[in-house]
Amino acid sequence: MPRHYTALLHEYLGYFPCVGLIGPRQCGKTTLLGELGANWTRFDLERQSDFEAISRDPDLFFRLHPDKVVIDEAQAYPALFQALRVSIDADRSRPGRFVITGSSSPQLTRGISESLAGRIGLIEMGPFSLSEALEQTSSPFFEGLVEEWGPERFVNQLRPRSAIEALHEYWLWGGFPQPWVEGGGRFRQVWMEQYVQTYLHRDIGALFPGLNRNRFRGFIQSLAGLSGTILNYSEVGRALGVSQPTARDYFEIADGSFLWRTVPAFTQTALRRVVKRPRGYLRDSGLLHHLLRISDLDLLLGHPQMGRSWEGMIVEQILRGLGAAGIPCEYSHYRTANGAEVDLVLEGRFGTIPIEIKHGQTVRSRELRAIHDFMDQHDCRLGVVVNNDEHPRLYSPRVMGMPAACL
């Protein structure tokens, strides 16, 4: 199944000596690298023979393998990064020599920032987006952001790209590739259970051997209830029986391994009564629903966390689409002390774009007050309301409604 990251991977290989492909386990990184061709040699640091071949003498390894080398799970050997830097600097002007992958860890991010800064192009990859799961091209919405389309052009150019039933099936099951390829509700449930167990017992245990696994297991389960909420680390710590710094560390671990997405508060405002705490989401809606024991759409639509689940899924669709297109941006949420909020604020070369997310089809005018106020305060050219309408429409000269099926 084609991925939208393929073009970006080849583009970065034309710019940088090394490309880093990072993301959660089982999101399709290794499969994507099959696009590189047979002239690339692949080493997997979780395979003992490959680990020994590299770790025995990494400088010699790179002298023997100076070009077209893929190294999977680079975080397993932190000393790799220094040797890789030496090899790159020996022929700095030649791009497209190395690709490293990783499921993230402190060692991975530290190695990249300290040894490979300026030498590597990073691509953060996620599970299937909606359009990838349905084997479609990227949505024109992202092209329109870069080209700074106005609201009327968005309304005229965008069309729903999937049936409402397919959209909701994706929302229920999430985007991890193997459950989509294999299919079947029972397989998906078993796969999710095994994924959680592997994440807890192998990945986290190996990266943080001193971690209290029982408490961290409870933390993982609690993330399902916290997804979509404003975070209070002290309250989470008390609920888990750990200190506030330990609770914060748990979130950093979950965020750094791509299980969780922390969305910081928007603070570029003159208003004083703005909530400055972050909000967070479990990145994959299927994993969220597995932890909540939601196994069919009727249960999901009647669940108290339905709205927050939908919101998190749409946030991920937008951020994955921007990432796959190589469109850099900052993202945040906005909330005032009196409860006015904007679910997602994007800031990039396209300006500042506030996005409201609704599951319903009809949006009432009073529900748009917060996004209009935000746009007036920050001089935004465009506001977006994502919902389940049948077609795009204008709510005002600067605010357009977009069906989620357009993504």
Side-chain angles (χ1 to χ4, degrees):
M1 296 174 71
R3 301 302 302 268
H4 296 166
Y5 300 89
T6 301
L8 186 63
L9 173 63
H10 288 287
E11 180 186 1
Y12 278 17
L13 285 170
Y15 298 152
F16 300 99
C18 182
V19 173
L21 190 61
I22 59 176
R25 285 192 181 274
Q26 302 296 318
C27 74
K29 299 187 293 297
T30 300
T31 304
L32 178 65
L33 295 179
E35 302 282 342
L36 293 177
N39 60 332
W40 284 76
T41 304
R42 180 186 164 200
F43 297 86
D44 186 345
L45 286 176
E46 293 191 335
R47 185 184 297 121
Q48 188 61 33
S49 59
D50 288 354
F51 184 89
E52 291 179 358
I54 295 174
S55 62
R56 185 178 295 115
D57 191 333
D59 291 317
L60 177 59
F61 170 84
F62 283 116
R63 286 178 60 198
L64 294 170
H65 301 83
D67 194 26
K68 299 292 188 289
V69 175
V70 174
I71 301 177
D72 273 341
E73 302 303 338
Q75 75 275 358
Y77 183 53
L80 169 83
F81 301 104
Q82 180 65 24
L84 183 56
R85 182 187 67 79
V86 172
S87 181
I88 289 172
D89 288 350
D91 192 2
R92 182 71 179 269
S93 63
R94 186 155 56 100
R97 297 169 58 197
F98 304 104
V99 174
I100 61 173
T101 77
S103 303
S104 193
S105 70
Q107 293 92 334
L108 178 67
T109 54
R110 189 181 307 117
I112 290 173
S113 62
E114 293 179 356
S115 300
L116 299 179
R119 302 167 178 86
I120 188 170
L122 272 179
I123 300 173
E124 182 180 313
M125 186 175 177
F128 284 155
S129 64
L130 171 66
S131 52
E132 287 176 321
L134 300 180
E135 301 188 61
Q136 299 171 337
T137 58
S138 179
S139 170
F141 172 73
F142 303 107
E143 175 189 353
L145 283 182
V146 172
E147 296 185 2
E148 299 187 13
W149 292 357
E152 289 189 8
R153 185 172 180 187
F154 271 112
V155 169
N156 292 330
Q157 295 284 346
L158 294 178
R159 292 294 179 270
R161 292 150 46 87
S162 62
I164 193 73
E165 295 85 0
L167 167 63
H168 280 65
E169 181 186 15
Y170 172 87
W171 172 35
L172 174 64
W173 295 117
F176 279 106
Q178 191 171 357
W180 271 98
V181 172
E182 300 292 339
R186 171 62 180 164
F187 176 83
R188 286 179 167 124
Q189 292 171 9
V190 172
W191 189 93
M192 282 292 182
E193 186 62 39
Q194 293 302 312
Y195 186 86
V196 172
Q197 294 302 319
T198 301
Y199 172 78
L200 285 171
H201 294 297
R202 187 180 72 176
D203 294 358
I204 298 303
L207 293 171
F208 304 93
L211 191 69
N212 185 317
R213 294 192 189 184
N214 288 331
R215 288 211 168 129
F216 193 77
R217 183 192 297 271
F219 167 73
I220 294 296
Q221 186 62 47
S222 75
L223 288 180
L226 294 168
S227 190
T229 66
I230 304 293
L231 299 178
N232 185 316
Y233 297 117
S234 296
E235 289 182 0
V236 174
R238 283 195 295 271
L240 294 173
V242 300
S243 66
Q244 189 256 19
T246 298
R248 188 183 294 270
D249 288 344
Y250 284 178
F251 277 103
E252 289 180 359
I253 291 171
D255 194 291
S257 51
F258 305 102
L259 175 71
W260 178 263
R261 186 183 294 277
T262 300
V263 179
F266 180 87
T267 56
Q268 306 300 317
T269 178
L271 295 179
R272 294 183 179 181
R273 294 175 60 80
V274 174
V275 174
K276 297 183 179 180
R277 295 200 302 270
R279 174 176 280 168
Y281 302 94
L282 275 167
R283 293 194 180 210
D284 185 74
S285 59
L287 184 57
L288 169 64
H289 300 153
H290 170 75
L291 293 173
L292 291 173
R293 300 293 184 252
I294 297 174
S295 57
D296 63 57
L297 187 58
D298 289 335
L299 286 174
L300 175 57
L301 293 175
H303 198 277
Q305 289 184 227
M306 182 272 289
R308 297 205 297 263
S309 169
W310 174 261
E311 181 182 305
M313 187 272 290
I314 297 298
V315 167
E316 281 299 304
Q317 294 307 296
I318 293 170
L319 297 183
R320 287 180 196 173
L322 290 167
I327 303 171
C329 74
E330 301 291 329
Y331 55 87
S332 57
H333 77 95
Y334 173 82
R335 183 181 177 88
T336 65
N338 63 7
E341 64 179 347
V342 175
D343 296 319
L344 182 66
V345 180
L346 302 177
E347 297 174 272
R349 62 191 188 213
F350 44 74
T352 300
I353 308 294
I355 300 176
E356 263 293 290
I357 300 168
K358 310 289 185 184
H359 180 261
Q361 178 172 319
T362 303
V363 178
R364 299 175 178 84
S365 58
R366 67 174 180 271
E367 297 178 274
L368 302 176
R369 187 176 305 160
I371 196 170
H372 278 126
D373 288 347
F374 182 94
M375 294 178 68
D376 291 341
Q377 293 160 10
H378 302 95
D379 193 27
C380 304
R381 66 175 181 85
L382 171 70
V384 181
V385 179
V386 180
N387 57 20
N388 275 304
D389 205 344
E390 295 179 305
H391 54 79
R393 69 177 69 240
L394 284 177
Y395 291 120
S396 72
R398 290 186 296 160
V399 177
M400 66 108 172
M402 179 180 71
C406 292
L407 287 171

